[in-house]
Amino acid sequence: MHSGSVDNRETIVLVTGIGGFLGGHIARQLLAKGYAVRGSVRRMSDCGGIAKQICAAPTDSHSLSFVEADLCSDMGWDAAVTGCSYVIHTASPFPAGLPKDENELIQPARDGALRVLRAAHRAGVTRVVLTSSIAATNHGSGKAPYTEDNWTDPTGKRATPYYKSKTLAERAAWAFAAETGLDLAVINPGIIFGPLLGPNYGTSIGLVRQMMSGKLKRVPRFGIAVVDVRDVADAHIRAMTHPDASGQRFIAAGQFLWMRDMAAVLAQSFPNYAPALPSGEVPNWMIKAMAPFSARSRMIVHELDVDLSVSAAKAQRMLDWQPRSADEAIRASAQSLIDHGLLAAS
């Protein structure tokens, strides 16, 4: 070990949702930094596949272990946090569409976060880092660029069930920390793109796949701040150990792009796919007309033409966080889809 480096091998970090896109990247970076990683999974039968994706070096598997625990049940969480110095809680439902009942989303997000925090508090962990979202900052009375001082109004007309679930879960976490003295830091990422560790992908990468496979002829005039998964993982790990991160929330997101800008980045970088990519925008009136009948339209109807850009100045200043460009994050997603054979050859 080179001088000045820290020996982290005795330091166990619990990563919830380790089978997810972000959780996998966090685990991979922690292993590279020499930490011991314990991942929570809903089914132990998933561990082999997850380990294959996360372990970059042959020795990584010695420092990786798994524990079974579900956000919807108290079972397993005390065992999961025993002996851990840190907990990074990334697990939360992220839907492709709207649930019939918004509580199907809100309850597991809020109750699940509290289950993990309670167990962490009982075990006396040093700090918990919670993954929230700019969904919890961008949809209240604030104005762009949104900062950590802004909060989504869960009672407002713009609060979709997903925005509401992220906001209420984060609020509940801060209330619990205030009440118990638990050391908490929160990361609020934008839409997460970047390289896949395996063939499974979530809603954000699904959007790139839809665009490149010709499923979207036109896109709505909707935009979002983009970030690379590797940089979101890095922000979590920085917030885990930085003395000043205690009690702070950090926006981890870069450039704001309209969906048509994302399509343009893809067309420029992957010219073979250009004919399949969306070529125009759906008029706002059409989305508004579809909203009563389409859950997808309802999710964005109040954000059409709205500047939802954010400022990550705080993370850059306090955590010395330096993210990649939005273009690079989007390109990496597309390249991953191609490499994993998830897109038809162009």
Side-chain angles (χ1 to χ4, degrees):
M1 302 193 74
H2 61 82
S3 61
S5 73
V6 190
D7 187 354
N8 296 322
R9 278 172 304 187
E10 301 303 306
T11 308
I12 306 171
V13 184
L14 174 69
V15 179
T16 73
I18 194 167
F21 183 37
L22 174 59
H25 275 276
I26 289 173
R28 180 179 265 218
Q29 288 186 22
L30 286 166
L31 290 169
K33 291 182 188 301
Y35 289 97
V37 174
R38 187 181 295 163
S40 76
V41 291
R42 276 181 301 204
R43 288 173 303 276
M44 289 305 271
S45 56
D46 297 341
C47 299
I50 294 170
K52 262 200 204 76
Q53 293 181 12
I54 288 169
C55 296
T59 51
D60 282 354
S61 56
H62 305 320
S63 306
L64 178 63
S65 61
F66 295 94
V67 56
E68 195 171 327
D70 190 311
L71 288 181
C72 298
S73 155
D74 290 334
M75 296 253 302
W77 288 111
D78 283 322
V81 294
T82 301
C84 291
S85 302
Y86 302 102
V87 173
I88 299 184
H89 177 48
T90 76
S92 185
F94 185 91
L98 281 175
K100 295 260 183 297
D101 172 8
E102 61 179 25
N103 284 315
E104 285 173 36
L105 205 54
I106 293 166
Q107 252 172 322
R110 182 181 54 206
D111 299 355
L114 288 173
R115 276 193 177 96
V116 174
L117 295 184
R118 277 190 211 107
H121 179 59
R122 284 194 293 269
V125 305
T126 306
R127 180 175 293 165
V128 177
V129 182
L130 171 83
T131 312
S132 183
S133 167
I134 55 172
T137 60
N138 284 12
H139 308 283
S141 54
K143 293 274 179 287
Y146 293 87
T147 70
E148 293 81 1
D149 296 332
N150 297 123
W151 278 93
T152 290
D153 175 6
T155 62
K157 64 172 191 203
R158 292 167 58 194
T160 65
Y162 175 66
Y163 298 166
K164 215 182 270 196
S165 79
K166 294 310 273 188
T167 307
L168 294 171
E170 191 190 335
R171 285 280 199 200
W174 284 121
F176 179 82
E179 194 183 302
T180 58
L182 177 78
D183 189 329
L184 177 69
V186 171
I187 304 294
N188 301 75
I191 188 168
I192 303 178
F193 293 121
L196 292 167
L197 295 178
N200 299 335
Y201 58 88
T203 314
S204 54
I205 307 278
L207 174 63
V208 175
R209 186 176 182 223
Q210 273 186 312
M211 284 191 187
M212 293 180 79
S213 57
K215 295 220 168 62
L216 290 174
K217 295 295 170 226
R218 295 188 295 171
V219 288
R221 193 159 166 70
F222 172 76
I224 194 157
V226 171
V227 67
D228 190 293
V229 66
R230 292 164 290 188
D231 299 322
V232 183
D234 175 52
H236 280 76
I237 296 168
R238 285 170 185 268
M240 179 177 93
T241 55
H242 197 297
D244 299 340
S246 174
Q248 302 291 331
R249 63 198 305 230
F250 296 96
I251 286 177
Q255 191 186 355
F256 171 85
L257 292 179
W258 298 105
M259 283 177 74
R260 61 141 198 260
D261 300 332
M262 294 178 198
V265 170
L266 293 168
Q268 196 183 358
S269 307
F270 301 91
N272 294 355
Y273 288 89
L277 285 157
S279 52
E281 289 186 313
V282 183
N284 292 351
W285 64 262
M286 200 178 278
I287 306 243
K288 286 174 183 154
M290 282 156 52
F293 318 102
S294 154
R296 259 204 183 144
S297 300
R298 274 200 297 285
M299 284 175 85
I300 59 168
V301 70
H302 298 297
E303 317 296 346
L304 297 170
D305 260 331
V306 177
D307 176 1
L308 293 174
S309 55
V310 295
S311 166
K314 180 177 172 181
Q316 289 169 330
R317 183 180 72 247
M318 282 179 68
L319 303 178
D320 196 21
W321 182 68
Q322 298 297 331
R324 291 164 178 79
S325 70
D327 290 16
E328 194 179 333
I330 291 166
R331 281 199 298 268
S333 295
Q335 190 58 55
S336 256
L337 288 167
I338 295 167
D339 293 347
H340 284 285
L342 296 167
L343 279 171
S346 59

